[in-house]
């Protein structure tokens, strides 16, 4: 698979995906929810240690206890995507989205799966859905821009990057990528301006 999602996902560092059960309304957990939470925590610890198969089993146990546990569905989908078990990963991620359409992490992982399996247009849709929910998700924004550029949709890619810069004006990655888009379009003055802004923000870039 392209660069490991562990190093790209959720802000571009090696941290783990957030516990997506936090999207649910705060309420005292039922016995099954509490048990599912414990299985999910074990799965998270195993995932962070690189034990993906064991983590997946913990998430499955969480779902056996609480079938609609969105956090377990998303995390299982993530782990299965890392294991390149894309068919099963899609099933769990789609179920998470059916339960909670605002699960931006689920949309993003689904997009990476579509990209990895040769469905760039579907990946573009998924990344677009992610950004609609989480506009400051810069890794997703860059992934979307790359796909748009690869599909020959350069003007759309520029618009997506510029929208990101409006949100994160000090993002060196976004300024640099916009410069490359201008360079590809032979818009040299604009490209130079972007590259100068990049180095002004990060001289050793």
């Amino acid at each position: 698979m392209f660069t490991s999602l562990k190093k790209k996902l959720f802000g571009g560092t090696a941290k783990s995906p957030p516990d997506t059960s936090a999207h649910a309304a705060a309420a005292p957990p039922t016995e099954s929810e509490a048990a599912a939470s414990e299985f999910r925590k074990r799965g998270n610890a195993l995932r962070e240690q690189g034990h993906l198969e064991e983590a997946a089993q913990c998430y499955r146990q969480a779902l056996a206890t609480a079938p609609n546990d969105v956090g377990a569905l998303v995390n299982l989908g993530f782990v299965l995507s890392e294991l390149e078990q894309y068919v099963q990963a899609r099933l769990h991620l789609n179920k998470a989205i059916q339960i909670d359409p605002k699960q931006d992490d689920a949309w993003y992982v689904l997009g990476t799966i579509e990209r990895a399996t040769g469905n760039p247009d579907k990946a573009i849709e998924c990344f677009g859905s992610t950004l609609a929910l989480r506009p400051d998700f810069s890794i997703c924004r860059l992934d979307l821009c790359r796909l748009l550029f690869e599909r020959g949709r350069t003007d759309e890619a520029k618009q997506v990057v510029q929208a990101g810069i409006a949100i994160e004006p000090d993002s060196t990655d976004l300024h640099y990528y916009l410069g490359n888009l201008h360079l590809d379009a032979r818009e040299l003055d604009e490209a130079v301006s972007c590259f100068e802004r990049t180095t002004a923000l990060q001289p050793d870039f």
Side-chain angles (χ1 to χ4, degrees), residues 74-125:
V74 175
N75 289 351
L76 179 55
F78 171 75
V79 167
L80 292 175
S81 74
E82 286 285 272
L83 294 169
E84 300 186 3
Q85 297 178 23
Y86 298 130
V87 173
Q88 288 299 312
R90 276 194 188 97
L91 291 175
H92 295 294
L93 293 167
N94 281 323
K95 182 175 180 180
I97 290 168
Q98 288 174 356
I99 295 170
D100 182 3
K102 295 184 179 181
Q103 281 293 332
D104 50 89
D105 295 327
W107 280 114
Y108 178 71
V109 179
L110 193 58
T112 65
I113 291 172
E114 297 298 351
R115 178 179 58 187
T117 54
N119 299 305
D121 291 331
K122 288 184 178 180
I124 287 170
E125 291 178 9

Side-chain angles (χ1 to χ4, degrees), residues 5-190:
L5 281 176
K6 291 179 183 176
K7 296 181 180 178
K8 290 187 65 182
L9 199 53
F10 311 112
T13 68
K15 64 185 178 181
S16 300
D19 186 347
T20 50
S21 62
H23 285 267
T30 64
E31 185 176 342
S32 61
E33 289 170 342
S37 177
E38 287 303 311
F39 282 124
R40 195 179 341 103
K41 289 176 183 177
R42 293 179 203 171
N44 293 346
L46 288 165
R47 185 192 62 235
E48 290 171 1
Q49 296 167 14
H51 303 305
L52 300 185
E53 294 282 5
E54 293 87 344
Q57 184 56 34
C58 285
Y59 297 137
R60 290 189 179 100
Q61 288 175 300
L63 293 170
T65 304
N68 291 331
D69 187 303
V70 174
L73 286 166
V74 175
N75 289 351
L76 179 55
F78 171 75
V79 167
L80 292 175
S81 74
E82 286 285 272
L83 294 169
E84 300 186 3
Q85 297 178 23
Y86 298 130
V87 173
Q88 288 299 312
R90 276 194 188 97
L91 291 175
H92 295 294
L93 293 167
N94 281 323
K95 182 175 180 180
I97 290 168
Q98 288 174 356
I99 295 170
D100 182 3
K102 295 184 179 181
Q103 281 293 332
D104 50 89
D105 295 327
W107 280 114
Y108 178 71
V109 179
L110 193 58
T112 65
I113 291 172
E114 297 298 351
R115 178 179 58 187
T117 54
N119 299 305
D121 291 331
K122 288 184 178 180
I124 287 170
E125 291 178 9
C126 291
F127 291 151
S129 295
T130 305
L131 290 175
L133 296 166
R134 186 172 163 191
D136 62 347
F137 196 165
S138 58
I139 296 297
C140 177
R141 188 172 295 278
L142 288 171
D143 285 341
L144 175 57
C145 290
R146 292 187 187 102
L147 277 178
L148 289 169
F149 176 72
E150 290 168 7
R151 304 295 283 171
R153 297 161 62 177
T154 304
D155 288 343
E156 291 177 69
K158 288 179 186 175
Q159 292 170 7
V160 171
V161 176
Q162 289 164 343
I165 290 173
I167 297 168
E168 300 179 88
D170 294 335
S171 170
T172 53
D173 287 335
L174 290 173
H175 284 288
Y176 180 73
Y177 197 79
L178 182 58
N180 279 296
L181 290 172
H182 283 305
L183 188 62
D184 183 78
R186 299 185 183 278
E187 299 164 348
L188 300 184
D189 290 342
E190 292 87 345

